[in-house]
Amino acid sequence: FPSHDNGTAKSISSNFWSVNDYYRYNVNTTYTTIIKLTFDQTSSGTGPKNFKLQYSLDGTNFTDITNYTVPFNTSTNTDYSWSSTTFNSASTLSFDLSSITEINDQPNVQFRMVNTSTSALLGGTIQTSGTSRMDNFTTFGNLDIPLPLNVISFKGKSFGSQNRLEWTVS
């Protein structure tokens, strides 16, 4: 599981946005029922504002899940500053995927976050220097492993502040 510190070295930052540009993630959901998707996203004031979340089972045909707007600080009408030294958990987005049963128990589900307009986060048009940044793309679900299960090895270890169980099966 990710550490949930925005702006980590593994975050993705990009500029030169156009309509239909996107971020894309692949997830193996074998033996898993996905119930929720979360990720952190922000844009600079001149970066993209409007996105849609999609999924695909074949990498070619994508189905829309929902439209969303990148979060910004409405009390000060500013973007959420986000860098390797400035963390901002206010940019976390969460989506309930429990009703999308097609994505369960699949070896390669692809998710895209697609820019849908030329609107910049704080008004006007997206500028070539306008950025969008993503981090901590995480799916949550229930593991549905068929039994009997022949476990070859089983171990627990820490990953950041999280504990993780790992096993090998035959």
Side-chain angles (χ1 to χ4, degrees):
F1 294 103
S3 65
H4 291 290
D5 289 336
N6 292 331
T8 65
K10 294 183 180 183
S11 67
I12 299 170
S13 181
S14 52
N15 53 5
F16 292 97
W17 282 90
S18 296
V19 173
N20 293 322
D21 286 348
Y22 56 85
Y23 290 114
R24 184 175 183 163
Y25 292 89
N26 299 340
V27 178
N28 182 340
T29 66
T30 303
Y31 304 126
T32 307
T33 300
I34 299 299
I35 56 173
K36 183 170 78 168
L37 168 67
T38 66
F39 53 85
D40 297 331
Q41 184 175 6
T42 193
S43 290
S44 65
T46 59
K49 174 182 182 176
N50 301 309
F51 284 80
K52 66 181 169 183
L53 177 62
Q54 300 177 316
Y55 75 92
S56 174
L57 302 179
D58 63 12
T60 302
N61 301 297
F62 284 82
T63 301
D64 292 349
I65 298 172
T66 190
N67 293 310
Y68 69 92
T69 301
V70 173
F72 66 97
N73 191 335
T74 55
S75 64
T76 61
N77 198 34
T78 58
D79 60 318
Y80 284 118
S81 296
W82 201 32
S83 70
S84 60
T85 58
T86 304
F87 307 141
N88 199 332
S89 61
S91 63
T92 299
L93 293 148
S94 180
F95 302 93
D96 179 353
L97 303 183
S98 60
S99 65
I100 306 173
T101 58
E102 302 86 49
I103 64 175
N104 299 328
D105 198 25
Q106 297 294 321
N108 187 21
V109 179
Q110 298 182 28
F111 291 99
R112 290 196 315 194
M113 288 61 61
V114 182
N115 178 34
T116 60
S117 77
T118 59
S119 297
L121 183 67
L122 299 180
T125 303
I126 297 170
Q127 303 298 305
T128 57
S129 61
T131 61
S132 184
R133 182 181 292 265
M134 291 196 77
D135 202 4
N136 298 320
F137 185 89
T138 308
T139 54
F140 297 87
N142 298 318
L143 201 53
D144 304 313
I145 299 175
L147 297 175
L149 180 64
N150 185 16
V151 177
I152 296 172
S153 69
F154 186 82
K155 63 182 175 180
K157 67 181 192 179
S158 294
F159 183 77
S161 62
Q162 302 287 322
N163 293 318
R164 176 180 279 178
L165 298 176
E166 294 182 354
W167 58 86
T168 304
V169 296
S170 64

